[in-house]
Structures are given as C-alpha cells and as structure tokens.
C-alpha cells in the first residue's frame, strides 16, 4: 500500500480528519473559524494539494521545492491564507519516506542548500509568523544568496530552530513525537471514535510539549502555562466524554486569548498520516 | 483548468464541502452521524476515491465500470457502508465531460449494456436501497445475462427510473437540476459563506423536488410532505441566519423520523462540482 497515490490520499485524509476533530482547544475545527481562516479553507487546502503530495511520495530529493509547491498549491485552492505550512514541512519528508521515521530521518539529513532556499521562498509566500532564525534573518532579501554561498543545508536551518520549534525538532530528532502520536491515535481508536482519539491525543501532546505557535505569538511563559492547563484538563481521564465540559471551557479560553496551538495540530497531522499508512481505518 | 487532476480534486472537494455543510436537515453533516455511518466515513470516502475520479476525468467511455470502481474504492477507505453511491452515478459522467452538461448528456446517451451490467454490480456491493426497476429485478442473479442478451444500455435503465429517481432523471434530462444547483450555489456564495450557500440551495432544491431516498423508504406521500415542510421553512427568507432555528427544528424532525434526503444531497454534490470546475473558490 506504499504506492504514491495511496500515500497522498493518506496525507489528505490526515489533514481533513485533524481539522474536523472537535473540540480541539484553540484551533480551527468544525465548530470554530478564525476571522480570516475558516474550516472550509483548511478542507480546500487539504484536498487541493494532492498532486504535490503524490509527487513527494515519488521523490527522494527536493524536500524544499516540494514544501514550496505545496504552500503555493494550498493558496490556489482557498482564500484563507496560511493553513498547512507547518503540516507540509512535516508531511513532505514523511511522504518521501512512505511514513518510515528511519527513512525520513535520512531524507532530511540529505537536504541541500537549494532546499534551504526553496524553504525560505515557501516561508515568504505562506506569510508564516516565526521567530527569526539567528544567523539568517528571514526578512532580509539577501538571505538566499548567503545560504547558497555558505552551503547551509535545510537540515542545518532546522537544527538552529530545533530547541524552540516543534516541527524543526521532529526533523532533527527522528520524528519521535510524530510516531508517538501515530501510536497513541491508533491505540485510542480501538476503544473510541476517531474524533475522540484525535482530540485526546492532541490534549496529551499539548500537555507534554509547549506549543511553538503560542510561544512565537506570546512567549515561552504563555506556552508553558497553556500546557499546564491542558495537563489539568486531561488529568486522570480515560476518555473524552468524561471531560467534555472542561475541554469546551479550555477551548473557549484559548479562542478568547487567540492562543492557538497550531504546531501541536501539525504533529497530530503527521501522526495521523503515519497511522493511516500503517492501516488505521475510519 | 480541465486537467484530470484538477477535475478529480473538484469532485473530492464537492463531496467534502457537501457533507460538512450544516445544519443540513435529515442528513449526515458535521453535527450528525447516523448509527452506522458517520461524518468521518463520508470524508474518508470522498478522499479515498481520488484515483477513480481522476480516471473518469481521462475517460470518454466506461461509465458503468467507473461507477463500480468508485463504489469499491469508497468501501476500501471506510467501514460505514454506502456513503456516495448516488453521488458517483452523477459525478462520473460529469467528470468524463469536464463539467459540461452538453458533453455529459452525450456520454450517458452512448452508454452500453456492459455499462448496465457494471452498474448492477456496483449496486449490489454498495447495498443501496432502491425501488426495483420494473423489467430487471436487481435481486435476481440472472439480470446481468438478460441485460446483455437484450442489449439494454445503462441509459435505458435510467430511463425506466427517471420518473421517480432524481439521479436517473438527471441522466436522461440534460443534468438540468445539477446546473441549477451550480448556478444557485455560485450566486449565493457571493453574499454568504460557502456553508450557508450550500444549505440554502439544499433547502430550495428539497422544497421544489421530492427526494428519491425518502420516497423509496417511506413512499411518495411522505416525500411530498417533507418537501412541503422545506418550502415552509425557507418561505420568504433571504439568508440562513434569519431561519436558523426553523432549520434546526426541521433537521431534528427529519433525523427523528429517519427521513434523510440523500438524493437531494447527491444533486448538491453534482452542483458543487460544476461550480468548482467553473471557478468557485472557498
């Protein structure tokens, strides 16, 4: 089942199921739109990027250009701006590796400075909010030249961000959190609906790892505080039904504060993709 | 924009947006599952059938085999049983025609008795509830032989059902309702969200045309009664917001009565597909 079309559909479905899952505190889901970015924008982006996802599943090199192409295709299909940039950064190497963390780790290690330049281009069109990377200010137009001159690989850039960026951290540390999510979703889906398995895994992940998106918007302390609140919400629970009102309240709080754990959602997408490739069925 | 991949993604997105739209009285949507068939089953079916949709967009003959292949692929991706059989019967000729009603009408007119046999095979695996077609009882295993011997084309079978089956009627009368839906969704999407444009068009369609699915389950009188109720709900309304509580109440009524206007939803999918092909963007 590792044919490129199958893998691309697993990636589409991972994005669709993730955004549909509810209540998913702080993020866009079937019950919550953001002012400029709606549930339907995420659905259209997930569906529209199919050809790039399939091309990734056929490729062993060119991760940067594929991330760039996915970001472009996503914007062609919807008018809500950036929906899946972090998800593409995670999904593209996983697609190239047919879901194997060992293969994906080799693929990211082999990235080049051309990949880094393409990544910067993708970044600027997706209009993503990030901490500036120390040595290569993304706002500076001559960064691309400097990257090529210095021979900086995309993997090197990810290393610079790995201590404060969840997705970069996956690239440089063997896609461990993604796999942890895949295992947890698969296990939970044995005893609960796929929706509840996703939401419970999302909360568990958020409780254990402060979210990059929130850190970038509000600073480290806020991201830690949100994780502590996630931890309180899920403490001792075995299923979603028993904590539904607490989860709803947490959701409303985060939406009021505009604190959306977008990077946690990206890891969930990666985990869902790996789980679907391994045979998880809705 | 008529390349096969673009057309296939328009078909996927049409199915995804249709099932997401809410409140959609009586049917599965983001807020309502049926006991055995959930929102996620519909999402997985829409995503999973991509290769068949793309193949249809490359084909000018073989509608029956394509409908059969779509029904099979849908069941491979989810465990909720039949989700999109009627939608496939409508979408396959529209994909083959790149959304043109004139081309689609030629394509269905040119179907063969092999198409009819494949259609019967698709029917039996999808386990669809229907009125038996007068001359060819679908429960009889020798129907296939009789179809080939008698040279009955798939178009002829549709003619036999056209007076009481909405999808068959589209095949034999130029896909007019599908185009009416495409125009209405596109026009409404100028002034309201895509969700509300879909729901309003669904209600308008249901008010004007009794639903095949409801007729098959409960008889002609019931299907007319449901349409009359839809008509009352939307009477005089210009948008969804002003009639939201009436629509919710209608939704709860139909769900209690298990009266799901599934064929109306299929036409909406066809209309959304045509609108997306013509350039509608979320």
């Amino acid at each position: 089942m590792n044919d490129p079309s199958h893998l691309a559909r697993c990636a589409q479905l991972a994005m669709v199921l993730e955004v549909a899952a509810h209540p998913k505190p702080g993020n866009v889901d079937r019950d919550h739109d953001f002012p400029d970015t709606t549930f339907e924008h995420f659905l259209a982006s997930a569906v529209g990027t199919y050809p790039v996802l399939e091309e990734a599943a056929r490729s062993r090199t060119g991760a940067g250009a594929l991330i760039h192409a996915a970001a472009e295709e996503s914007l062609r299909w919807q008018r809500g701006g950036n929906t899946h940039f972090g998800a593409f950064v995670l999904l593209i190497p996983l697609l190239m590796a047919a879901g194997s963390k060992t293969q994906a780790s080799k693929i990211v290690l082999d990235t080049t400075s051309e990949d880094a330049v393409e990544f910067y281009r993708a970044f600027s069109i997706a209009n993503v909010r990030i901490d500036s990377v120390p040595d290569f200010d993304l706002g500076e137009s001559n960064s691309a030249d400097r990257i090529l001159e210095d021979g900086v690989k995309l993997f090197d850039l990810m290393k610079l961000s790995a201590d404060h960026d969840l997705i970069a951290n996956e690239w440089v540390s063997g896609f461990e959190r993604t796999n942890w999510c895949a295992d947890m979703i698969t296990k939970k889906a044995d005893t609960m609906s796929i929706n509840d398995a996703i939401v419970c895994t999302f909360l568990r992940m958020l409780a254990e790892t402060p979210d990059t998106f929130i850190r970038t918007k509000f600073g480290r302390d806020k991201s830690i505080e949100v994780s502590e609140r996630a931890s309180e919400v899920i403490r001792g629970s075995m299923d979603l039904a028993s904590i539904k009102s607490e989860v709803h309240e947490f959701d409303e709080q985060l939406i009021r504060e505009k604190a959306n754990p977008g990077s946690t959602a990206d890891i969930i997408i990666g985990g869902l993709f790996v789980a679907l490739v391994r045979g998880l069925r809705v």
Side-chain angles (χ1 to χ4, degrees), chain A residues 92-155:
Chain A
I92 293 293
L94 288 168
L95 279 157
M96 295 166 79
S100 151
K101 64 179 176 178
T102 317
Q103 276 303 314
S105 299
K106 284 185 197 159
I107 282 165
V108 297
L109 196 60
D110 289 345
T111 52
T112 64
S113 48
E114 282 76 17
D115 288 317
V117 169
E118 288 284 355
F119 179 76
Y120 272 64
R121 289 192 182 127
F123 231 102
S124 64
I125 66 154
N127 202 11
V128 183
R129 183 200 296 258
I130 50 141
D131 282 335
S132 56
V133 178
D135 277 341
F136 297 92
D137 186 333
L138 296 175
E140 290 182 13
S141 58
N142 62 351
S143 281
D145 293 339
R146 281 185 51 214
I147 286 168
L148 289 173
E149 277 166 29
D150 296 0
V152 180
K153 306 194 305 183
L154 182 50
F155 186 81

Side-chain angles (χ1 to χ4, degrees), chain A residues 203-204 206-208 226-236 250:
Chain A
L203 288 168
R204 188 74 57 185
L206 184 58
E208 300 201 359
V226 167
S227 287
E228 283 168 357
R229 270 148 65 188
S231 186
E232 278 163 36
V233 166
I234 53 165
R235 184 167 298 153
F250 186 35

Side-chain angles (χ1 to χ4, degrees), chain A residues 76-96:
Chain A
R76 256 181 227 125
W77 280 76
Q78 45 85 24
R79 295 176 290 186
N82 175 38
T83 51
H84 286 115
F85 185 77
F88 295 144
V89 177
L90 189 55
L91 280 174
I92 293 293
L94 288 168
L95 279 157
M96 295 166 79

Side-chain angles (χ1 to χ4, degrees), chain A residues 215-248:
Chain A
R215 183 187 158 129
T216 305
K217 267 171 108 172
F218 298 101
R220 191 165 166 274
D221 288 355
K222 177 75 174 184
S223 70
I224 291 170
E225 183 212 313
V226 167
S227 287
E228 283 168 357
R229 270 148 65 188
S231 186
E232 278 163 36
V233 166
I234 53 165
R235 184 167 298 153
S237 70
M238 296 298 290
D239 60 15
L240 187 59
S242 62
I243 54 166
K244 206 102 182 209
S245 71
E246 289 87 343
V247 177
H248 272 295

